[in-house]
Amino acid sequence: KSFVSANAHGLCGHRTGGNSDEFDKKPLVVVYYDVDYVKNVKGTNYWRNRVMKVGKKLLDAGSKFYFAVSNADEMRGEMEEFGLQYSGSPVVGVKDQKGQKFAMADTFSMETFEKFLNDFNDGKVEPYLKSEAVPDNSQNAVKVVVAKNFDEIVNDEERDV
């Protein structure tokens, strides 16, 4: 029973607003595009098969990812949390164990997708933060904190904040 529930969605499940809580394993890689298993099965599976091909290759090489595909229109609010916008080509977001969000900036292809996931594994991808630009605080006694410099200033053990 535990095997079935742990593998119910297979290598790359169809994630919707109604079942998104079932995809709780991290890092979760979600590819957003025009997923439609009623009107466009062939087109939906075309992109999903590419995700699975790269996913299988990375999993066989020892990487640990969990994959899903989601409809870009249905999950628009979630995509905005990654700073992503769908305009015809699939877009990719990854959520790690800490809850940080990462977005693939390049146009989707199997090569760019694989490179992005390898860079993510190597720690080369910066998390997406909805933030203003970091202000120049060098001359100010009172420091302005934004999302991009929050950890640096507020969580610094040597500062009295």
Side-chain angles (χ1 to χ4, degrees):
K1 183 178 177 179
S2 63
F3 174 81
V4 172
S5 61
N7 296 290
H9 297 292
L11 176 60
C12 181
H14 178 200
R15 191 165 168 271
T16 65
N19 72 359
S20 62
D21 58 331
E22 296 173 21
F23 291 83
D24 57 352
K25 294 179 183 174
K26 306 290 186 288
L28 178 63
V29 179
V30 182
V31 180
Y32 302 93
Y33 61 97
D34 187 21
V35 175
D36 188 346
Y37 280 107
V38 176
K39 296 179 183 173
N40 188 11
V41 175
K42 190 174 182 181
T44 297
N45 283 333
Y46 174 84
W47 292 114
R48 182 174 177 265
N49 288 340
R50 271 131 191 83
V51 172
M52 290 194 306
K53 195 171 205 173
V54 171
K56 176 113 175 72
K57 181 178 179 181
L58 292 173
L59 293 175
D60 288 347
S63 296
K64 190 146 180 97
F65 288 108
Y66 300 93
F67 296 91
V69 295
S70 289
N71 183 284
D73 288 334
E74 180 182 359
M75 304 300 268
R76 179 175 283 126
E78 183 177 89
M79 287 173 48
E80 289 173 1
E81 293 175 16
F82 288 90
L84 295 171
Q85 289 186 335
Y86 176 71
S87 60
S89 180
V91 292
V92 180
V94 178
K95 194 172 200 178
D96 72 2
Q97 293 86 342
K98 298 177 190 173
Q100 293 179 305
K101 297 171 181 86
F102 300 83
M104 185 173 93
D106 297 328
T107 302
F108 187 91
S109 73
M110 289 175 62
E111 293 78 22
T112 58
F113 183 49
E114 183 176 352
K115 181 182 181 317
F116 170 72
L117 294 178
N118 283 325
D119 288 348
F120 173 83
N121 258 351
D122 296 339
K124 296 178 183 175
V125 180
E126 290 290 319
Y128 172 77
L129 296 172
K130 191 172 187 177
S131 175
E132 292 184 21
V134 177
D136 179 18
N137 283 324
S138 59
Q139 302 298 321
N140 303 338
V142 176
K143 307 295 182 195
V144 177
V145 178
V146 295
K148 289 183 179 176
N149 69 352
F150 183 85
D151 280 337
E152 175 186 324
I153 294 176
V154 176
N155 293 333
D156 186 351
E157 296 292 327
E158 296 178 8
R159 295 180 189 238
D160 184 21
V161 179

